[in-house]
Amino acid sequence: MILNKYKKHNVHFILVLLYSLTIRSGFSQINDGGTTVSDEDPERSFIIEPRPPGRNTGNNHKPMFVDCAKYSNTEIEEEQHTGLDVVTVHAVDEDDKESGGIVTYSIIQREGVRSQFRINNATGEITTATFFDRDEPSRQKEVYLTVRANDNGWPVLADICTFKITIKDINDNPPQLDKLKNEASVSEDLKIDREVMRVFAYDIDDRENARLTYALKSSGEFEKYFAIDNRTGVISLKTALNGKRGVTFSSQVIVNDNPINIAERKQNVGDIKITVVGSDKQLPTFVEYPKDPIYVKENFSDFEEPFAIITAQSNIKSINLRFELIRGHTTQTNKDSTFKLTPLNETSAKITLGRALDYETVTEYQLTVRVENKDSLAAAITIDFKIEDVNDEIPDFVDIVTGSVLENEEPGAEVMQVRAIDKDGTSAHNIVSYTLNSHETLFSVDSETGKVVTRVKFDREAQDVYNIEIIARDNSPSALRRTSTDPNSSTQTFRVTIEDKNDNKPEFSQSTYRVDNLSENIDIGHLVIEVRANDMDSASVIRYSITSGNEEGAFKIEESTGRIRVNATLDYETTTTYNLTITAHDGVFSDEAKVFIFIDNINDELPIFEPYNRNITGILEETVYTDCIITLEAWDPDIRNREDPQHIVYQVDEKYRHFLEVDENGCVKLTKPLDRDKPDGSPSYQAFIIAYDDNNGPNAQQQSAEIFIILDDINDNAPFLTTTTVVWNEHQEPGKITTLEADDYDSPENGPPFIFAFADGVGEDIKLGFEIRGDELFALVEFDREKQKFYDLLINITDSGIPPQSGGSLLRVIIGDINDNPAGDGKSEIFVYNYESSAPDVQIGRVFVEDLDDWDLPDKVFQWATGPHEFFNLNSDNGTLTMLHGTPANEYILEFKVTEESALIERHTVSAIVNVTVRDIPREAVVKSGSMRLSMMDAETFVARIHGVSPKDVLHEQLLQILNVTRDNIDIFTVLSNSYSDSVFDVRFSAHGSPYYAAERLNSKVSLHVSQLESKVGVRIDMISISECFLENVCDAGSSCSDHLDISEVPATVFTNRTSFVGVNAVIRPVCDCRPFDVYERCHNGGTYIEEKNTCICAPEYEGPNCEALAIGFKGNGWAMYPSFEACNATRITLEVTADEDDGLIFYVGPMSLHPNPLVTDFMSLELKGGFPVIYLNYGSDTREISLRTKKLTDGSSHTISISMKSTEVSISVDDCHRSDCVTYGHPPGSNGLLNVNGPLQVGGTREDMHQVAEFLKWNHIPSPKGFVGCIRNFTYNEQLYNLGVPGEQLNAISNCNWGIAKAVTFGIDSNFLVAILVCVAILLILLLAVVVHRRKENNWNEKDADDICENIISYQDEGGGEVDTGFDMSVLKMHDKDLTSDPPINENLYKQAPDAPDISAFLNPKKDNCDRDPNSYPFDDVRYYAYEGDGNSTGSLSSLASCKLTFISLWNYLFTFEER
């Protein structure tokens, strides 16, 4: 019953498998275009072209493997490379090639199993796809391969051939010794020819390749006493061992295999050691054991019955023996414990079965039994087992194939061939025969080959599928069933399909198809309609084609589906209707249908202008015309009738609307007069007039007409000199100076010839000294350069136009110098800023002597007064001084001798002194520097000192007051001329307490005093915080722009006669990329950089990866400044906010002064309105609001705001949410695409009243004047993290949001308990006050010695350590009766250690370090931090905190200046 149940399920499984295989064999290799038949070898596959419709598709014969049985004789050697030729299979198909006679081959492979062979699908050539190994552990002795042959007919017919491929052994394994070292003991009285020991070896190859022979390596003494059996490896005694007790004999055994080809022989070598022992020590001997092989049937299953009883004797007093069955290294030598040995008593043991035998796996075993006595002497024997085959394998069908036959075929037509394999190892049990178990009247099967043929003709319409059962039997009684003598058998069901023949015509489902309103601009490839024809014959393949009406190939049809698609661009103006004839053909019969396609007109034609003359002449410049200068007419080709309204709208291209307009009739008019002449005009003006069809609707097309307006000239420009400077040497006799040359921006007819004359009102000195004759200028007198270096002549020039135009031009006549004045002694000064002490050799100025002549340098020779200097070089020809690399900071007094001699001057020598001050400037000062762009003065005038003071000195003094720092703590280290104008130059400056102040702090403070600075210094401030990216199109349109501070080691120099300035060459350069803003430190806030780990070690309060302070807090009345945003075309801003109030300004970036210069109106602000985040964005034209109204941020939680800005899109989201309800998108206002700002980023609020800024800049939105209340964290700009807790400048900002506010907490206690606590606190305060008063009296801290201002800082009372000059009264210092400037209070006792002074270094050092790291600290010491300073302190004066440059004396001078400023 159980067997029947499982058999039923097996049948179902087989039917499903058969059905899936049928589908695969019938259809998987067919498609509409050419078919790649096999994927076994893609390099050798080929394409079967499909049969065109109309050709005979009769497929009456299937391919046949006529030599299938012979392929089973195929042999290949193991271990061969892939691609080895195996065999070429061939199937014969009697059909012609066009009707199914082309045969292709493929390998049938079980799913999920990798194929071991490849087949050329055209030739049938089979090659290997993997390596084969016949030996252990693979044991690939034979493999079965199933090949399918398909024809190219319809239906596809096939044949299948399964054959065996034998893997031949090669001698690829050397012999292996069980032991590489073989040791044994032998009794000295052992008889000759008796066995001493055995050497065991094996070879996993087959037959002769595994037959081993043994030999001893020649070793003299060993071979004299011992011999080896070359077949068994038994070593026996050859000569008696009398007297050899204790002697050890050593040699080596050589084991060879014996292949047919002796050149392939392999060998192995092992060591042998035999020790002679006394006669009382004897080897055990085997008494009883099997001498002949033991034969065992493979189905033997009694695991208790012994195969052999082995008996041995110990040959010593103790009879106990130990038996051992050796486990070899191969299955044949019992590696798997197939046999086991069990002792029976002290002298015998038995061998029994350990696991099941299988003839098909191992046919024989060689077992080694070893016996050892108590003297550890041993002997061994070999027992051979031969395994006999029994019929224990059931025939197994190799592949469950399907068969097919055409209907109405004659009986005897081959259907398929089945193949079953019996895995028994001998022919006595493994020959398979086949019988039919169903449909015997319809089919028959060849009992030997398994070929199935028909016995009748079949009618597909009666039945199209048959399932036939075939039984495979082997040829001997089954060993699996003991009660029956029947052979083993298996039954399999196969599917046979009856294939159809083409005997019906296809028919369309409808004779006419219609497609309306197909747009003429439809995409190529668009599906238009699908037509379908039906055919009663399932074997018929219908092919569709367009046989007529397809003008210009406008459409195409998929021949297998009937889908009609657009094949070319359609044009309503050319063809409005298509009448297609579609033919369906099944190879024999055909049918036709009509398809009508109507094209819909769309607006796809550009307007066309009527011919016109593009050159418009007769237009006078500077004249307004009320009439049309040209009338253009355009028409629409989409409107077939030209008489119909054309719906054309005319417009002037936006670029030309400032001087042109056009009406609805195409009348083009000038809106303002045009200028023909230079520098702003042009002789002709180009313009484009655009015509839009369809009334300029959303789908309108446009065409442009180009016109050129050619202007006629009027004489409206006065002539001017083209050469404005000439040189005329002093003391030269009167004569011609130059020929005057002029030009005129008008046309040539309104230009030359010109008339030159002095302008009215020129001075008498000009009239007496110069004269114009025609176009020539003459000198009437001799000139002296020492009296006047140049003369400016105002010359009136008149052109020849009608009416003539006149204008004045200035001609400068420079009086050339002749050396006629002797030089005198001179003094000059040079100030040098040496950037990081790394300046190379650089020219810093020239030696100056007093001399009225200034062109006499070639007449002078410059020399050192006392010999060359260590740090400076002198050019003796021109007096140029070069500072050498490595010059230390210091003040240098350089003395020179200058010798002069000329034709008019006798040889003489004068002295010159140059005071050179060299000061080092660190990188921190430059990176953090403030900057200004100044104009209305050149750089030379700025640094030149007149009466001992230069404008640079004035600026220095003003900055001292504005920044409130000491004189030595401010540096103006860069004065750099602008490349665009001589009267524009850039200045960079730094200031520090400890450390250097940030640029935002410097620039913001300076911006508050612009008018004051301009008035005092005498310059105009064009820009504070120099930026080269504040304009929109510095880089290519739409490209990012970032300001990069380029610092060169080569200094920038400004030379004047008596004063030269050598500064740091630090220039802002625009970089057309989005780059992070410059930072000075890799690790902020005193962090330590660990280069090996590329990380920063930070204090606990600085949590950022580079030791940034990540948070800043505000209470609604504060702000903080940071580096500004760069002009990036793709920007991402993220920050976390915890808001306590619904309204407030989170951040703002843009102009910060009331009258910003340059006038850049771009700004951006992020605000809270009603608790919702809102962005206001202005790119220079209008302000756009982008708000997110779906999530309120004042819920007490921290929220992340993300802002993304691109040139065309801006988005804001909260908490990394990307759903539509938590993201808002907007577009930047106006045509600009970049945010160009020059002011700092201001967080939490703004410094200025933004109402006034907005009013001046005409903004339509005012950034919120209400400050933010809450905490802001993790502010990033394009992934760069801001050091929020340490702003460059701030007001009422709370670093790291450390509020320091104690909040009341309710503990649920009553009022009596609170009163008790308050009483206790009051008592403690009273006690503390009493202790303090007592100690003050005891230590006399309230007494002050007014005569010693050098003592402890405590004696300054409220003076802040003697250094605070604004917050405390300095009257104590003024009480001193000594002259501090003449006699500074320094004496030898100042540096002596007081006898009982406390050691406070450990207290002061960390306090000083903390103060140094505080960016908001004052540039002086504060009594709030230090209780001690000066006398008796080994740490020294704390004043060094302000500047390492200050000496002790200069500190006292600084104190002397404390008074009202």
Side-chain angles (χ1 to χ4, degrees):
M1 194 69 174
I2 294 176
L3 288 176
N4 288 336
K5 177 180 178 182
Y6 281 107
K7 187 179 293 184
K8 177 180 179 182
H9 282 278
N10 285 338
V11 169
H12 286 315
F13 170 74
I14 291 168
L15 288 177
V16 172
L17 182 58
L18 279 171
Y19 177 74
S20 65
L21 289 172
T22 301
I23 297 301
R24 179 178 180 224
S25 66
F27 297 99
S28 67
Q29 297 170 342
I30 298 296
N31 59 30
D32 296 337
T35 301
T36 301
V37 176
S38 173
D39 59 358
E40 297 294 339
D41 187 356
E43 295 181 358
R44 298 192 289 177
S45 62
F46 75 101
I47 304 298
I48 297 178
E49 295 296 335
R51 297 179 303 279
R55 189 170 293 179
N56 185 358
T57 58
N59 186 20
N60 299 320
H61 302 89
K62 65 181 289 183
M64 301 276 295
F65 285 107
V66 295
D67 293 325
C68 182
K70 295 181 181 179
Y71 302 146
S72 290
N73 298 325
T74 303
E75 294 182 340
I76 60 172
E77 289 185 342
E78 65 171 333
E79 301 292 347
Q80 300 301 307
H81 60 82
T82 59
L84 178 71
D85 291 337
V86 179
V87 68
T88 299
V89 297
H90 179 67
V92 177
D93 193 312
E94 296 180 6
D95 294 320
D96 59 65
K97 291 185 178 180
E98 296 182 350
S99 301
I102 297 178
V103 179
T104 56
Y105 304 91
S106 60
I107 294 174
I108 297 178
Q109 189 68 35
R110 295 181 185 227
E111 186 175 354
V113 178
R114 184 178 180 182
S115 178
Q116 296 175 310
F117 298 92
R118 298 189 182 97
I119 190 168
N120 185 308
N121 60 2
T123 65
E125 180 183 0
I126 297 173
T127 56
T128 57
T130 186
F131 292 93
F132 293 94
D133 187 4
R134 191 183 191 281
D135 310 314
E136 293 187 29
S138 301
R139 297 194 185 117
Q140 293 174 299
K141 298 181 180 180
E142 57 187 30
V143 292
Y144 286 88
L145 181 64
T146 301
V147 179
R148 182 199 307 275
N150 287 342
D151 65 12
N152 65 324
W154 186 258
V156 176
L157 301 179
D159 193 21
I160 292 175
C161 175
T162 302
F163 56 92
K164 179 177 72 174
I165 300 174
T166 302
I167 311 300
K168 291 174 57 178
D169 184 52
I170 64 172
N171 190 28
D172 57 339
N173 295 285
Q176 297 293 324
L177 289 152
D178 267 1
K179 297 179 181 179
L180 292 178
K181 293 183 179 181
N182 296 272
E183 298 181 357
S185 299
V186 58
S187 175
E188 63 179 337
D189 61 352
L190 184 70
K191 296 185 183 327
I192 295 175
D193 294 331
R194 294 290 296 273
E195 179 179 334
V196 177
M197 66 183 298
R198 291 195 182 199
V199 176
F200 297 101
Y202 60 91
D203 193 319
I204 63 175
D205 288 318
D206 191 31
R207 303 191 181 184
E208 289 301 306
N209 293 332
R211 185 173 62 82
L212 304 179
T213 56
Y214 302 83
L216 292 174
K217 190 173 182 180
S218 178
S219 58
E221 189 74 12
F222 192 95
E223 290 183 297
K224 176 180 177 182
Y225 288 96
F226 303 97
I228 190 168
D229 188 315
N230 67 348
R231 183 177 59 84
T232 64
V234 173
I235 297 177
S236 58
L237 188 63
K238 184 177 179 182
T239 303
L241 295 172
N242 295 332
K244 295 295 183 179
R245 181 173 181 176
V247 176
T248 298
F249 296 89
S250 299
S251 185
Q252 287 184 315
V253 61
I254 301 172
V255 185
N256 292 295
D257 56 20
N258 293 272
I260 296 175
N261 184 357
I262 196 67
E264 298 177 354
R265 172 177 286 179
K266 291 179 170 53
Q267 68 174 215
N268 207 341
V269 177
D271 294 329
I272 303 173
K273 182 184 289 186
I274 300 176
T275 302
V276 181
V277 298
S279 58
D280 58 327
K281 295 185 178 181
Q282 297 287 332
L283 274 70
T285 56
F286 286 93
V287 177
E288 181 181 350
Y289 62 93
K291 309 291 192 299
D292 298 320
I294 299 174
Y295 291 87
V296 183
K297 291 188 180 294
E298 64 173 324
N299 64 340
F300 183 84
S301 59
D302 191 340
F303 290 81
E304 299 295 331
E305 182 178 346
F307 294 115
I309 302 295
I310 301 170
T311 304
Q313 59 185 21
S314 68
N315 296 326
I316 60 175
K317 289 183 179 181
S318 174
I319 63 173
N320 288 338
L321 295 172
R322 185 173 69 86
F323 291 90
E324 179 185 7
L325 183 57
I326 303 298
R327 291 180 63 183
H329 294 280
T330 65
T331 304
Q332 291 89 337
T333 57
N334 208 35
K335 178 184 72 173
D336 301 325
S337 299
T338 307
F339 297 90
K340 63 181 181 180
L341 183 143
T342 305
L344 295 175
N345 50 46
E346 294 176 334
T347 59
S348 63
K350 67 177 181 178
I351 295 177
T352 57
L353 191 64
R355 60 168 56 197
L357 303 173
D358 185 11
Y359 178 86
E360 286 70 39
T361 303
V362 181
T363 60
E364 61 182 22
Y365 293 87
Q366 295 82 39
L367 304 184
T368 299
V369 179
R370 185 174 182 273
V371 65
E372 182 181 295
N373 61 22
K374 283 199 172 181
D375 286 341
S376 297
L377 299 178
I381 58 171
T382 299
I383 302 175
D384 293 331
F385 281 79
K386 303 291 185 181
I387 310 303
E388 297 181 315
D389 188 29
V390 299
N391 189 11
D392 59 347
E393 295 286 344
I394 298 174
D396 180 28
F397 284 95
V398 177
D399 292 291
I400 306 174
V401 298
T402 62
S404 63
V405 64
L406 284 172
E407 62 178 331
N408 297 322
E409 285 283 285
E410 293 296 327
E414 184 173 338
V415 178
M416 61 180 169
Q417 182 178 16
V418 299
R419 181 68 179 236
I421 297 173
D422 191 309
K423 294 182 180 179
D424 281 315
T426 60
S427 59
H429 309 300
N430 64 6
I431 297 176
V432 179
S433 61
Y434 307 91
T435 58
L436 201 62
N437 197 36
S438 66
H439 300 295
E440 294 90 340
T441 59
L442 304 179
F443 302 93
S444 63
V445 62
D446 188 294
S447 61
E448 295 183 1
T449 64
K451 280 190 177 182
V452 178
V453 297
T454 62
R455 304 185 69 175
V456 297
K457 287 185 178 182
F458 290 92
D459 182 6
R460 182 183 180 280
E461 284 68 32
Q463 186 172 344
D464 59 352
V465 175
Y466 294 88
N467 293 325
I468 62 174
E469 288 186 0
I470 297 178
I471 302 174
R473 295 183 176 88
D474 56 24
N475 57 330
S476 65
S478 173
L480 302 176
R481 297 189 296 270
R482 297 183 179 181
T483 60
S484 173
T485 59
D486 294 335
N488 293 323
S489 65
S490 64
T491 302
Q492 184 63 59
T493 302
F494 297 88
R495 169 165 288 195
V496 178
T497 60
I498 310 302
E499 304 296 346
D500 192 22
K501 283 188 176 181
N502 188 7
D503 53 1
N504 294 283
K505 66 172 290 187
E507 291 183 358
F508 279 101
S509 57
Q510 59 190 78
S511 60
T512 302
Y513 298 84
R514 180 185 176 96
V515 178
D516 292 317
N517 301 324
L518 182 65
S519 177
E520 64 174 322
N521 69 339
I522 199 75
D523 293 336
I524 293 177
H526 182 80
L527 177 63
V528 179
I529 192 173
E530 181 177 353
V531 299
R532 181 177 296 278
N534 300 313
D535 195 320
M536 297 295 293
D537 296 316
S538 62
S540 298
V541 177
I542 300 175
R543 304 289 181 181
Y544 300 91
S545 61
I546 303 174
T547 52
S548 67
N550 192 15
E551 299 175 16
E552 304 297 331
F555 301 95
K556 63 181 178 180
I557 189 168
E558 295 176 2
E559 65 172 359
S560 60
T561 65
R563 295 184 183 128
I564 299 175
R565 297 183 182 273
V566 178
N567 188 51
T569 301
L570 305 178
D571 187 6
Y572 176 85
E573 288 70 30
T574 303
T575 305
T576 61
T577 304
Y578 291 88
N579 181 6
L580 306 181
T581 299
I582 310 298
T583 299
H585 198 285
D586 66 0
V588 177
F589 307 102
S590 63
D591 191 19
E592 290 185 350
K594 291 290 185 179
V595 178
F596 294 95
I597 302 175
F598 297 91
I599 307 302
D600 188 20
N601 186 24
I602 65 165
N603 186 19
D604 62 341
E605 296 287 339
L606 303 182
I608 297 176
F609 280 94
E610 293 287 357
Y612 66 97
N613 185 355
R614 69 179 59 197
N615 294 321
I616 304 171
T617 58
I619 306 297
L620 282 176
E621 66 168 327
E622 305 295 349
T623 303
V624 176
Y625 289 85
T626 59
D627 297 332
C628 306
I629 62 173
I630 188 174
T631 299
L632 301 172
E633 183 180 356
W635 54 279
D636 187 356
D638 287 312
I639 301 174
R640 290 201 161 191
N641 189 352
R642 291 282 301 277
E643 301 300 324
D644 292 340
Q646 299 296 302
H647 304 292
I648 299 295
V649 174
Y650 301 95
Q651 287 184 5
V652 178
D653 186 280
E654 184 177 3
K655 183 178 179 181
Y656 312 102
R657 292 177 187 170
H658 64 284
F659 68 90
L660 278 182
E661 66 180 11
V662 62
D663 63 17
E664 67 274 8
N665 298 317
C667 172
V668 180
K669 294 182 180 181
L670 288 171
T671 59
K672 71 174 186 178
L674 301 181
D675 184 10
R676 180 192 180 280
D677 309 317
K678 297 179 182 177
D680 300 320
S682 172
S684 66
Y685 284 77
Q686 180 195 40
F688 289 93
I689 309 300
I690 304 173
Y692 297 91
D693 62 12
D694 198 24
N695 290 323
N696 198 13
N699 298 317
Q701 301 292 340
Q702 70 180 55
Q703 183 64 278
S704 60
E706 182 183 31
I707 61 174
F708 288 92
I709 303 172
I710 312 299
L711 297 178
D712 293 337
D713 185 39
I714 63 174
N715 192 19
D716 57 346
N717 290 284
F720 55 88
L721 290 175
T722 57
T723 301
T724 59
T725 302
V726 295
V727 177
W728 180 255
N729 284 338
E730 66 177 334
H731 305 307
Q732 189 172 344
E733 293 183 359
K736 177 182 176 180
I737 298 176
T738 186
T739 298
L740 301 175
E741 297 179 353
D743 195 5
D744 192 324
Y745 287 144
D746 289 319
S747 59
E749 56 269 20
N750 290 320
F754 300 109
I755 299 173
F756 301 91
F758 287 123
D760 294 338
V762 296
E764 287 298 321
D765 58 335
I766 302 297
K767 294 179 180 179
L768 295 175
F770 302 92
E771 182 181 26
I772 297 175
R773 303 170 189 170
D775 61 353
E776 294 179 335
L777 176 67
F778 287 85
L780 300 179
V781 297
E782 290 186 10
F783 295 95
D784 186 357
R785 178 177 173 83
E786 284 67 37
K787 293 182 178 179
Q788 189 166 339
K789 296 182 184 296
F790 61 87
Y791 295 85
D792 287 331
L793 313 182
L794 184 58
I795 300 175
N796 189 68
I797 311 166
T798 304
D799 62 22
S800 299
I802 300 175
Q805 292 283 341
S806 297
S809 284
L810 199 65
L811 175 67
R812 173 165 288 188
V813 180
I814 299 174
I815 307 303
D817 187 36
I818 294 176
N819 190 6
D820 56 353
N821 293 283
D825 296 341
K827 291 184 178 180
S828 60
E829 58 182 355
I830 301 173
F831 199 97
V832 180
Y833 276 104
N834 191 353
Y835 176 62
E836 290 199 311
S837 305
S838 61
D841 295 353
V842 61
Q843 293 183 1
I844 60 173
R846 182 179 290 125
V847 176
F848 172 76
V849 293
E850 297 288 348
D851 195 334
L852 295 177
D853 297 315
D854 50 6
W855 289 13
D856 59 349
L857 198 59
D859 297 333
K860 290 183 172 69
V861 176
F862 298 84
Q863 295 175 310
W864 291 97
T866 58
H869 196 280
E870 178 182 3
F871 300 117
F872 300 91
N873 280 346
L874 171 68
N875 186 316
S876 60
D877 293 330
N878 56 27
T880 300
L881 273 174
T882 299
M883 186 181 77
L884 302 180
H885 173 68
T887 300
N890 207 338
E891 184 173 341
Y892 301 91
I893 307 297
L894 309 180
E895 299 180 358
F896 304 93
K897 291 182 178 180
V898 183
T899 301
E900 181 183 33
E901 183 179 15
S902 72
L904 302 178
I905 303 296
E906 292 184 358
R907 181 183 180 87
H908 65 289
T909 300
V910 297
S911 298
I913 298 175
V914 181
N915 186 349
V916 181
T917 302
V918 180
R919 183 166 182 172
D920 291 336
I921 190 80
R923 181 173 182 273
E924 180 183 7
V926 181
V927 173
K928 293 183 174 181
S929 61
S931 58
M932 292 183 284
R933 179 160 291 167
L934 310 179
S935 64
M936 300 182 67
M937 182 183 292
D938 57 29
E940 290 77 12
T941 305
F942 181 71
V943 302
R945 285 182 172 171
I946 300 176
H947 305 300
V949 178
S950 70
K952 174 178 171 293
D953 298 332
V954 176
L955 178 62
H956 193 279
E957 291 296 324
Q958 293 297 313
L959 292 177
L960 287 177
Q961 298 179 24
I962 292 171
L963 301 175
N964 193 27
V965 294
T966 64
R967 182 177 305 277
D968 287 339
N969 283 11
I970 189 167
D971 293 289
I972 300 175
F973 55 79
T974 293
V975 178
L976 198 62
S977 296
N978 192 283
S979 59
Y980 300 106
S981 175
D982 292 336
S983 62
V984 178
F985 58 96
D986 295 342
V987 170
R988 304 198 75 86
F989 61 96
S990 66
H992 68 89
S994 179
Y996 279 88
Y997 298 150
E1000 296 76 47
R1001 179 175 186 176
L1002 302 179
N1003 292 327
S1004 68
K1005 287 186 177 295
V1006 168
S1007 68
L1008 296 173
H1009 302 83
V1010 172
S1011 298
Q1012 171 188 337
L1013 290 175
E1014 290 181 337
S1015 173
K1016 296 288 186 180
V1017 182
V1019 295
R1020 185 179 69 196
I1021 299 178
D1022 291 342
M1023 187 186 303
I1024 297 175
S1025 182
I1026 296 173
S1027 170
E1028 300 295 350
C1029 292
F1030 65 91
L1031 296 178
E1032 182 75 17
N1033 294 319
V1034 175
C1035 298
D1036 293 338
S1039 297
S1040 300
C1041 184
S1042 300
D1043 285 318
H1044 172 65
L1045 183 60
D1046 188 358
I1047 307 173
S1048 173
E1049 292 182 353
V1050 179
T1053 57
V1054 181
F1055 296 144
T1056 66
N1057 282 334
R1058 291 183 174 85
T1059 306
S1060 293
F1061 178 80
V1062 182
V1064 179
N1065 193 349
V1067 183
I1068 289 290
R1069 302 193 189 280
V1071 178
C1072 296
D1073 190 13
C1074 187
R1075 300 179 57 170
F1077 49 80
D1078 293 324
V1079 294
Y1080 164 64
E1081 304 160 303
R1082 185 187 295 268
C1083 302
H1084 300 282
N1085 303 316
T1088 303
Y1089 178 65
I1090 307 300
E1091 186 173 3
E1092 296 79 7
K1093 298 182 179 180
N1094 190 28
T1095 187
C1096 293
I1097 304 300
C1098 313
E1101 62 267 28
Y1102 302 119
E1103 302 172 344
N1106 297 315
C1107 303
E1108 295 93 346
L1110 298 182
I1112 190 85
F1114 301 95
K1115 296 181 180 179
N1117 60 346
W1119 46 263
M1121 291 186 182
Y1122 305 92
S1124 185
F1125 294 166
E1126 301 290 356
C1128 295
N1129 59 7
T1131 298
R1132 178 172 170 79
I1133 302 170
T1134 63
L1135 66 159
E1136 297 175 19
V1137 298
T1138 304
D1140 295 335
E1141 293 187 7
D1142 284 347
D1143 298 294
L1145 180 71
I1146 298 176
F1147 75 75
Y1148 162 84
V1149 60
M1152 69 171 178
S1153 61
L1154 298 183
H1155 301 284
N1157 193 13
L1159 188 60
V1160 178
T1161 61
D1162 296 27
F1163 82 89
M1164 176 186 182
S1165 67
L1166 174 63
E1167 307 174 12
L1168 283 181
K1169 280 197 169 184
F1172 300 104
V1174 181
I1175 297 174
Y1176 290 98
L1177 196 60
N1178 188 312
Y1179 279 5
S1181 58
D1182 192 14
T1183 303
R1184 180 67 49 83
E1185 175 183 332
I1186 303 169
S1187 59
L1188 182 63
R1189 301 287 181 178
T1190 57
K1191 190 163 188 176
K1192 197 169 183 179
L1193 305 188
T1194 50
D1195 57 0
S1197 300
S1198 177
H1199 297 279
T1200 299
I1201 301 176
S1202 300
I1203 301 171
S1204 174
M1205 297 195 303
K1206 299 179 181 178
S1207 57
T1208 58
E1209 182 181 83
V1210 180
S1211 67
I1212 178 172
S1213 63
V1214 174
D1215 295 334
D1216 293 326
C1217 175
H1218 302 287
R1219 302 190 313 271
S1220 60
D1221 61 339
C1222 51
V1223 180
T1224 297
Y1225 294 91
H1227 299 285
S1231 58
N1232 294 338
L1234 298 177
L1235 178 67
N1236 305 94
V1237 291
N1238 184 240
L1241 169 67
Q1242 300 186 67
V1243 177
T1246 58
R1247 185 192 69 182
E1248 299 293 337
D1249 181 356
M1250 298 309 296
H1251 283 85
Q1252 299 181 41
V1253 176
E1255 181 179 355
F1256 177 78
L1257 297 176
K1258 296 180 172 55
W1259 287 340
N1260 56 3
H1261 169 75
I1262 302 173
S1264 175
K1266 187 178 188 311
F1268 177 75
V1269 180
C1271 183
I1272 300 173
R1273 299 177 182 273
N1274 296 324
F1275 195 125
T1276 69
Y1277 179 79
N1278 286 335
E1279 312 304 327
Q1280 186 172 11
L1281 197 62
Y1282 273 98
N1283 190 15
L1284 272 187
V1286 189
E1289 181 74 327
Q1290 58 87 20
L1291 176 68
N1292 298 327
I1294 304 162
S1295 179
N1296 280 330
C1297 301
N1298 294 324
W1299 305 106
I1301 300 175
K1303 296 184 178 180
V1305 180
T1306 301
F1307 293 97
I1309 56 179
D1310 57 22
S1311 58
N1312 294 330
F1313 184 72
L1314 288 175
V1315 170
I1317 291 177
L1318 292 176
V1319 171
C1320 292
V1321 170
I1323 294 173
L1324 289 174
L1325 289 175
I1326 293 171
L1327 291 175
L1328 179 62
L1329 181 60
V1331 171
V1332 170
V1333 171
H1334 173 73
R1335 294 190 63 183
R1336 286 177 60 88
K1337 289 181 178 180
E1338 181 179 327
N1339 293 307
N1340 295 320
W1341 282 11
N1342 58 334
E1343 296 179 4
K1344 174 172 67 72
D1345 184 0
D1347 295 330
D1348 185 7
I1349 64 171
C1350 302
E1351 67 171 3
N1352 194 297
I1353 193 171
I1354 300 304
S1355 64
Y1356 296 163
Q1357 293 182 342
D1358 296 331
E1359 300 303 325
E1363 294 185 26
V1364 179
D1365 59 347
T1366 57
F1368 303 99
D1369 180 12
M1370 307 306 296
S1371 59
V1372 174
L1373 293 178
K1374 295 183 179 180
M1375 293 166 55
H1376 206 286
D1377 59 356
K1378 291 184 179 181
D1379 185 359
L1380 296 179
T1381 58
S1382 61
D1383 186 16
I1386 303 176
N1387 56 61
E1388 59 184 2
N1389 295 326
L1390 182 63
Y1391 299 98
K1392 293 181 179 179
Q1393 177 69 43
D1396 299 320
D1399 182 9
I1400 60 171
S1401 296
F1403 167 76
L1404 287 179
N1405 283 331
K1407 297 299 183 182
K1408 287 171 63 180
D1409 291 340
N1410 289 338
C1411 187
D1412 284 347
R1413 287 196 296 266
D1414 183 3
N1416 295 319
S1417 65
Y1418 296 101
F1420 38 73
D1421 304 331
D1422 197 315
V1423 72
R1424 291 173 297 176
Y1425 294 116
Y1426 309 111
Y1428 297 94
E1429 181 179 359
D1431 191 22
N1433 177 15
S1434 61
T1435 301
S1437 172
L1438 297 181
S1439 301
S1440 60
L1441 290 176
S1443 172
C1444 61
K1445 306 289 191 304
L1446 296 177
T1447 63
F1448 194 76
I1449 295 176
S1450 65
L1451 283 174
W1452 287 111
N1453 289 333
Y1454 173 51
L1455 289 175
F1456 183 76
T1457 64
F1458 277 179
E1459 59 186 1
E1460 294 80 10
R1461 290 184 176 178

